[in-house]
Amino acid sequence: MSLTGKKVIKIQEIKFRNNILNIKKSTYAIDDEWDSFLARSSYGQLEQTSLWAEAKKPSGWRPYRIVVRRDEEIIGGFQIIWQQKAGILRLGLLMKGPVIETDDSVVLNAVIDCLKMVVKKTFTALLVQTPDKDTRLTSRLLSSGFLPNRLSGIIKSANVVINLCQDEEHLLKSLKRQKRQNIRIAREAGITVRQGEHRELPIFFELMRTTCLRRGVAPNPPTEESCEILWKVFSPKNQIKLFLTEFQAEIISAVLVLTLGHHASLWKFGWSGKFGQYRPNDLLFWEILNWARAQGYLTADLGPFGSFAADGLTAVTDLGSPEESSDVRFKTGFGGEIIKLQPGLLYIPNSVYRLIYNSLFPHLLSIPAFQKYISRML
């Protein structure tokens, strides 16, 4: 076990049938054992890794990680990242967790009880989105005092996941006909795709920033320095790659890919807006999917939708801006499976704050300026 950082502090130890269920707080900066568990788990995702928390530290986020073991084997846990706001408010985000690799109700209930205890002792409020394909936890959390999330725009609702367990021919056939035509157009025009290098991160950031400006949203990562930190944290584990498209010696679009276990995430995208008639981004995404398949990844996702309800590849209900609508049409053209992500939940231990949230928040959130203020806080 290669762990670096501080010691692990035991929170509690409870009987689990004939075994001991150990619930401990890990304060390792990089917790390789926890990240390895996530890489092989059915429900593990990047946002729960210690690498993710480490990359968020320069932006003011701090991690709080609980690891659950049975017979010394990790079977679950959760990682919260949190910030201090307005001097007294401690707001936590639990994205894609808790991660629990067992269906046993004793373990599920123990992790939820521990989560509530941690929030009551440490945080003012906790925003939660459970792992994408884990349908067990949302109802359990709601019955345990968690509230439906009303913070519009914070929680994404759907994603496209591509099955890479097929050869290139079958992967190509799963694309919509227009997408296959666009890939051919790009190749015939002379568009090329290659892997980028660390020194080209500033180019990626500028392309991503330009794309966000066109869409009227804040760039994320917010600064070039944030991209550098992300690269510094993930590159030693070989879990970050940069892909670029070029035309006439000019870089025109880019995708930053993050990986975990057998999964690749086409995490962030940027495009100058030039040469759209040659469909450079269709070729870019296609070549990344082929790279991921050749590297042995089993699945890839194309990034979440902001505000869309998805009922199938041929029935996507558009609830967003024209820019978001275009994004959805682009991603669904690659086939794959549209995954409805789990809804957001909020846990507020203080009864007065809960009352305010339930009674006053719905009215305040109808005010655009207040919505923007809440979004900036998170």
Side-chain angles (χ1 to χ4, degrees), residues 190 192 194 245-252:
T192 59
R194 65 173 174 85
T245 56
E246 289 184 319
F247 183 64
Q248 297 178 348
E250 180 181 353
I251 297 173
I252 55 177

Side-chain angles (χ1 to χ4, degrees), residues 150 354-366 370:
R150 296 191 179 97
R354 287 174 68 91
L355 180 62
I356 292 173
Y357 177 77
N358 282 321
S359 59
L360 192 58
F361 243 61
H363 304 289
L364 291 175
L365 287 174
S366 64
F370 184 78

Side-chain angles (χ1 to χ4, degrees), residues 50-71:
S50 65
L51 296 180
W52 184 268
E54 188 70 9
K56 290 291 184 179
K57 280 183 181 179
S59 300
W61 294 97
R62 294 293 178 264
Y64 193 112
R65 188 180 312 116
I66 293 293
V67 179
V68 181
R69 288 180 174 86
R70 183 176 60 200
D71 293 339

